Amino acid sequence: MENKKEMRNWLNEFNLTHPFVIAGPCSAETEEQVLKIAHELKDSDVSVFRAGIWKPRTRPGGFEGVGEIGLKWLKKAKEQTGLLMGTEVANAAHVKLALEYDIDVLWIGARTTVNPFAMQEIADALAGTKKIVLVKNPVNPDLSLWLGGVERLYNAGIEKLGVIHRGFSTYEKTKYRNIPEWQIAIELQNKFPDLPLIIDPSHITGDRNMILEVTQEALDLNYDGMIIETHYDPDNAWSDAAQQVTPTALKQIFIDLKVRKVDDMSDEFTQKMKKLRTNIDILDENLLDLLGKRMKVADEIGQVKKDANVAVLQNNRWNEILGKMILEGEKKGLTEEFVLKMFKAIHQESIGHQEKVLNA
Ligand code: PEP
Ligand code: MN
C-alpha cells in the first residue's frame, strides 16, 4: 500500500481546528437513549456520533446489540442533530444494512480485524464506497494483520480510510483493559503518516477515570482524533458501563486536553533540539557499543561453559542480576518495568550468543 495523500483528505475536509472526535454510547439501547445522547453531543467538538448496533461479546449471554432497528434511530438522530453517524460492521450483511441506512462512518472491530476472511468479505461488500472506513487494531499485537485489513479495503477502492488504536488483549491483569503497546501504533504512523490515526481510550482503559490521561498521551504522539464512549447514565449502560463518560464529562475532557503543535520552525526551538538530539545520538552509539562488548564477553562465557560442558542457563545468577539492576535502575530514574524488559532482551541475546558458541 502506498502512502496516498487522499487518505488524509477526508479528514482535512472537516476543516477542524481541534482533533477529530467520534463519541456516543458503546451500544444503541433504545430510541430515546440514542436521541438524548446525540442531542447532548451536538454543538460540541464531536463530528461523528457512535453507537454499536451489533455487539461482539466475549461470552454468550451478554447484550449483543439491538440490530437493524437501531439503524433507524441513528438515521433519526442524524436528521435531528446534523451529526454524522458511525457504527461497527462485522460481516457483509451488516455492511449492506449500514449502507442502506446511510451510515457515514463504518468501523471494523478488533475481533474482526484478526480474521482475513471476514476482512475480505467486508472489503468486497464495501468496494468503491465513498464512506469513511476505520480499522481497529486486531486484539493481538500484530501490526501486519492490522495493516493487512487496511490493505484489503484499499485494494477494494476505498479511499477514505483510517485506523483506530484500541489496545491489545493480555492474559495478565494490568491497569489497562487492553494494553496500549504504543510502539505498534507509532510504527504504523511512521510507515503511513497520511493514514489518520484515532485513539480509543475507552477500550484501552476500561475505566472512565483514565480516559483523559490516555487521550492526552495519544495527542502528545500526534494522533489525529479520538473515539470516546459516552452515555448520559454510564453506570446503567447495557455494555461497557465502567468506561463510558457523560456528555458533560466529555466536554470537560475537551477543555482539559492540551493540543500540541506537530513541530515548531523557530530558530530557538530548532537549535535547542539539535543540540539535545546530537547528545542523544552519541549516547545511543555508546549504548550499542557497550552492548556489543557485553556480547563478546557472553561469547567467552559460552566457550568456558562449552569446555566444562555446563548448561547455558543458570537461574540463580540471572535472578541475582535482575534484582540488582532493578535497584540500580531505580536510582537512575528508570522504572522497574523498563529495566525488566531491557534485561530480558539483553539476556535473550546473550543466550543466543552462548548457544552459538556451545553448538559450533
Ligand atoms: C466498540 O467499539 O464498542 C467495540 C466493540 O470495540 P472493539 O472492537 O475495540 O472491542
Ligand atoms: Mn464498547
Side-chain angles (χ1 to χ4, degrees):
M1 188 177 55
E2 295 152 73
N3 190 23
K4 296 277 183 187
K5 273 277 177 267
E6 56 264 32
M7 287 179 187
R8 183 159 297 272
N9 286 350
W10 68 262
L11 190 56
N12 293 342
E13 275 165 24
F14 281 90
N15 262 322
L16 300 173
T17 53
H18 54 76
F20 177 65
V21 185
I22 304 174
C26 178
S27 306
E29 297 166 2
T30 64
E31 178 172 345
E32 186 207 11
Q33 175 243 21
V34 165
L35 294 177
K36 185 167 153 76
I37 300 171
H39 276 279
E40 288 185 35
L41 294 178
K42 79 165 202 263
D43 305 323
S44 71
D45 286 355
V46 177
S47 297
V48 180
F49 180 82
R50 67 151 282 158
I53 298 295
W54 302 283
K55 301 301 300 177
R57 302 325 287 177
T58 304
R59 307 280 298 269
F63 171 61
E64 295 192 327
V66 293
E68 183 175 352
I69 192 171
L71 295 169
K72 294 199 174 91
W73 308 337
L74 293 186
K75 197 157 175 243
K76 204 161 176 182
K78 175 152 70 173
E79 284 160 10
Q80 291 187 7
T81 64
L83 288 167
L84 297 183
M85 293 292 135
T87 201
E88 173 178 341
V89 290
N91 58 38
H94 294 165
V95 169
K96 187 167 171 283
L97 280 168
L99 294 178
E100 246 170 67
Y101 284 88
D102 205 24
I103 293 294
D104 307 280
V105 177
L106 299 92
W107 78 81
I108 324 295
R111 292 163 194 75
T112 307
T113 311
V114 285
N115 182 343
F117 287 133
M119 276 309 304
Q120 193 56 50
E121 175 184 322
I122 292 168
D124 293 341
L126 279 168
T129 187
K130 296 282 175 256
K131 302 288 189 184
I132 297 165
V133 183
L134 306 174
V135 183
K136 285 201 170 195
N137 66 255
V139 281
N140 53 326
D142 184 338
L143 179 56
S144 295
L145 202 51
W146 194 1
L147 280 174
V150 179
E151 277 164 347
R152 285 176 198 278
L153 295 166
Y154 186 77
N155 292 342
I158 301 155
E159 283 179 354
K160 297 185 178 177
L161 288 170
V163 287
I164 300 174
H165 176 203
R166 53 79 79 193
F168 302 90
S169 296
T170 49
Y171 175 63
E172 284 159 55
K173 275 255 151 294
T174 73
K175 69 170 179 168
Y176 299 106
R177 179 177 175 194
N178 293 289
I179 52 168
E181 304 271 26
W182 295 102
Q183 75 285 357
I184 297 179
I186 291 167
E187 195 180 330
L188 185 144
Q189 192 186 40
N190 280 337
K191 279 193 177 141
F192 299 100
D194 287 318
L195 191 61
L197 173 60
I198 293 165
I199 187 78
D200 175 351
S202 308
H203 293 90
I204 286 181
T205 65
D207 175 356
R208 69 180 65 101
N209 297 312
M210 290 166 69
I211 302 286
L212 174 64
E213 154 195 343
V214 167
T215 310
Q216 183 64 63
E217 214 165 336
L219 291 187
D220 292 345
L221 295 168
N222 296 326
Y223 280 48
D224 300 287
M226 61 201 84
I227 176 167
I228 299 184
E229 289 190 338
T230 311
H231 194 298
Y232 60 80
D233 184 10
D235 284 332
N236 291 306
W238 297 4
S239 57
D240 290 352
Q243 69 196 34
Q244 305 207 50
V245 297
T246 62
T248 310
L250 181 70
K251 288 172 197 169
Q252 189 58 46
I253 289 173
F254 295 157
I255 295 169
D256 294 339
L257 279 172
K258 290 184 239 358
V259 180
R260 308 194 208 275
K261 292 177 285 185
V262 174
D263 213 339
D264 182 331
M265 293 302 160
S266 73
D267 282 352
E268 193 196 343
F269 176 81
T270 315
Q271 285 190 3
K272 275 188 189 156
M273 288 303 287
K274 198 172 158 204
K275 220 165 119 191
L276 291 169
R277 283 181 172 154
T278 308
N279 224 328
I280 290 269
D281 288 347
I282 295 170
L283 290 168
D284 281 348
E285 263 178 51
N286 289 347
L287 273 175
L288 279 183
D289 197 47
L290 271 177
L291 286 170
K293 284 185 182 143
R294 194 191 189 283
M295 293 311 151
K296 289 236 159 56
V297 177
D299 289 339
E300 286 178 40
I301 290 185
Q303 191 56 50
V304 174
K305 284 181 183 166
K306 184 177 181 172
D307 296 343
N309 198 27
V310 169
V312 165
L313 190 63
Q314 268 102 41
N315 268 320
N316 290 351
R317 162 78 181 144
W318 171 234
N319 288 332
E320 204 180 290
I321 294 185
L322 266 188
K324 205 165 83 190
M325 288 304 131
I326 288 170
L327 286 178
E328 284 299 314
E330 207 173 304
K331 286 187 208 153
K332 299 183 198 306
L334 306 174
T335 63
E336 175 172 342
E337 189 193 354
F338 171 69
V339 172
L340 268 174
K341 254 197 210 155
M342 183 178 63
F343 273 96
K344 275 186 186 160
I346 292 176
H347 190 225
Q348 199 58 48
E349 181 73 11
S350 183
I351 288 176
H353 273 255
Q354 296 185 42
E355 285 282 356
K356 222 169 156 182
V357 174
L358 274 154
N359 296 314

